[in-house]
Amino acid sequence: MKAILTTPPKGGVKIAEIKLREEKGLRLRTLRTGICGTDKEIVEGRLNFARTETGNELVLGHEALAIVEDSGDSNEFKKGDIVVPMVRRPGNCRMCRLGRQDYCEDGDFVEAGIRGKDGFMREEFYDKEKFLVKVNDKSIADLAVLTEPMKNVMKMVEIFNFQRNRIPTYCDDSTMNCKNLYVFGTGTEGLLISAVFKTMGLNVIAVNRHPPDDTVAKFLEINDINYLDTSKESISSHSKKYKMDFAIDAVGSMDIMRDISLNISNNGISILFGTSGQMPSSNYEFLGNLVDKNIAVIGSVDGAKVHYAEAIEFISNYGRKMSLDRLITGIYKPEETGIFTNKEKGEIKKVIQWS
Ligand code: BGC
Ligand code: ZN
């Protein structure tokens, strides 16, 4: 069968014929896989924790949608069911045994297509039912490839809801209508964050350093999400008019952390998701603000099975209404491996169609 392979930590990408290794569980046929920044970093040899499962090649792909070909002895799934496989697989620590490998305590986990486990960019694979999440609503089959990046957002909602009980953060009418959330980054993850938090009643401001391209502008308009172009107006000026109550970063640049800590309101909540590793252009004095302003800063990576299920539910309820299809800006054949290194104009999420 066809598979897309890389050689970590060196990177590179190629399509090759590999054998289907028989494993315990269900036999699945891949329908679609998405590619994201993590895949690109692996291919460019920039993700230092990328590693193979066996030998010196890794099957890429952690964002997938698949169909059950053979359900084995599963009671939960049958042939023809559509499923999303989970990325991270547990080790033996306490959190992993609770199904919260996203909060793994000792790092003894593997991640499909990223570290220590072959991924889903191949025609078929085997998986255990425990790591599969069913998509009951087949009408969202075209969008459900967004489940994996969206599960990261659902974990952020969980974190956000814990934090906002620290100090009540709702408005005096019990809603969050008067509260502003700044979301840094307008790639897939940034836009999914903006969409999900918008449905919680917040005023969402998507932030980037340049004007939005047409696809992004249209998506934001449909969903009544505001845009701040920091090449035209600074964060500090904008946040004087629209208080930065909450901030979520999907970029990972130190300068954004600086902007957040300098401009966020007292008792603010900020969630850091981005990992681009862009280093600071300034000193670290701004960190003092976090203390003086009681700011909660929470790092967030990955998500648990419950968040995959919530993501599927969200896509089923809001996917069409919020035009999530606009985020899928290109559908490609597995052979078109140039998509890992080229950046298309207006690209948001690229998807590979397997069958
Ligand atoms: C995935 C996460 C994963 C992280 C780090 C992200 O692209 O969505 O599930 O934990 O990469 O490997
Ligand atoms: Zn990803």
Side-chain angles (χ1 to χ4, degrees):
M1 66 172 164
K2 271 185 264 182
I4 297 178
L5 304 177
T6 186
T7 313
K10 235 177 50 227
V13 62
K14 66 170 188 198
I15 180 128
E17 281 293 321
I18 63 163
K19 281 211 182 71
L20 175 63
R21 218 179 28 231
E22 210 169 308
E23 290 169 60
K24 277 213 189 84
L26 297 81
R27 189 158 58 85
L28 301 140
R29 183 159 53 80
T30 310
L31 298 173
R32 282 182 161 195
T33 53
I35 75 174
C36 80
T38 307
D39 301 302
K40 291 187 173 185
E41 281 175 46
I42 298 172
V43 166
E44 286 160 16
R46 288 193 290 116
L47 197 74
N48 54 19
F49 56 69
R51 57 176 207 273
T52 61
E53 176 172 349
T54 54
N56 47 30
E57 287 176 320
L58 172 78
V59 179
L60 271 172
H62 59 278
E63 308 186 357
L65 188 69
I67 185 163
V68 176
E69 279 288 318
D70 181 348
S71 59
D73 50 18
S74 165
N75 296 320
E76 195 183 338
F77 298 97
K78 56 179 192 318
K79 186 176 159 62
D81 279 349
I82 296 181
V83 297
V84 176
M86 292 170 63
V87 179
R88 193 177 281 203
R89 308 304 169 91
N92 290 310
C93 80
R94 214 168 39 120
M95 293 310 291
C96 282
R97 279 187 273 119
L98 287 172
R100 288 308 303 255
Q101 54 268 25
D102 58 316
Y103 281 132
C104 177
E105 292 175 320
D106 58 7
D108 181 27
F109 58 81
V110 293
E111 287 184 330
I114 303 175
R115 36 184 151 181
K117 181 174 170 56
D118 280 328
F120 313 121
M121 288 186 183
R122 45 177 158 164
E123 287 174 282
E124 289 188 308
F125 60 97
Y126 280 87
D127 218 337
K128 299 196 182 81
E129 72 177 6
K130 188 175 174 191
F131 302 119
L132 299 172
V133 193
K134 202 190 289 182
V135 180
N136 285 315
D137 176 1
K138 291 197 176 166
S139 78
I140 56 159
D142 59 329
L143 300 178
V145 69
L146 296 171
T147 300
E148 193 283 331
M150 191 177 279
K151 67 95 172 56
N152 296 323
V153 184
M154 294 309 180
K155 173 169 172 178
M156 293 176 218
V157 172
E158 178 184 87
I159 291 172
F160 180 77
N161 284 334
F162 272 122
Q163 282 303 321
R164 74 192 190 90
N165 290 330
R166 179 179 62 132
I167 298 164
T169 49
Y170 39 79
C171 314
D172 57 13
D173 63 355
S174 82
T175 74
M176 287 197 285
N177 292 340
C178 67
K179 298 285 176 184
N180 302 314
L181 165 68
Y182 284 64
V183 179
F184 293 80
T186 53
T188 307
E189 208 66 59
L191 293 173
L192 291 177
I193 294 166
S194 292
V196 170
F197 280 81
K198 178 70 197 179
T199 63
M200 295 167 68
L202 290 154
N203 177 41
V204 177
I205 303 159
V207 187
N208 215 324
R209 290 177 301 188
H210 48 70
D213 66 42
D214 297 347
T215 323
V216 171
K218 189 76 200 158
F219 181 78
L220 298 176
E221 186 198 315
I222 290 169
N223 294 306
D224 193 20
I225 295 163
N226 300 300
Y227 189 80
L228 171 62
D229 170 1
T230 57
S231 70
K232 300 217 173 72
E233 188 185 1
S234 69
I235 306 277
S236 81
S237 146
H238 198 81
S239 61
K240 289 204 177 75
K241 291 176 285 180
Y242 302 94
K243 277 175 62 196
M244 187 189 292
D245 299 296
F246 314 118
I248 302 183
D249 172 46
V251 179
S253 122
M254 290 290 158
D255 284 342
I256 290 176
M257 293 171 67
R258 180 172 192 276
D259 281 333
I260 293 174
S261 37
L262 289 175
N263 297 299
I264 197 165
S265 303
N266 289 355
N267 309 326
I269 301 171
S270 61
I271 300 176
L272 307 180
F273 177 79
T275 53
S276 78
Q278 293 171 42
M279 292 318 281
S281 61
S282 63
N283 59 34
Y284 293 92
E285 274 165 39
F286 64 87
L287 291 171
N289 282 276
L290 301 176
V291 179
D292 199 43
K293 292 157 82 172
N294 293 298
I295 305 304
V297 183
I298 302 118
S300 181
V301 65
D302 197 46
K305 193 172 190 179
V306 61
H307 302 122
Y308 284 80
E310 286 169 11
I312 292 170
E313 191 64 21
F314 186 94
I315 296 170
S316 184
N317 291 336
Y318 291 100
R320 300 272 167 243
K321 206 157 100 190
M322 298 193 94
S323 286
L324 292 184
D325 57 307
R326 287 174 183 272
L327 302 186
I328 300 176
T329 49
I331 298 174
Y332 302 85
K333 296 196 193 74
E335 289 75 15
E336 296 177 83
T337 52
I339 59 171
F340 287 90
T341 42
N342 303 340
K343 187 162 166 73
E344 265 63 53
K345 195 178 165 292
E347 115 173 29
I348 304 177
K349 174 63 71 194
K350 286 171 170 171
V351 164
I352 301 170
Q353 187 80 42
W354 291 85
S355 56

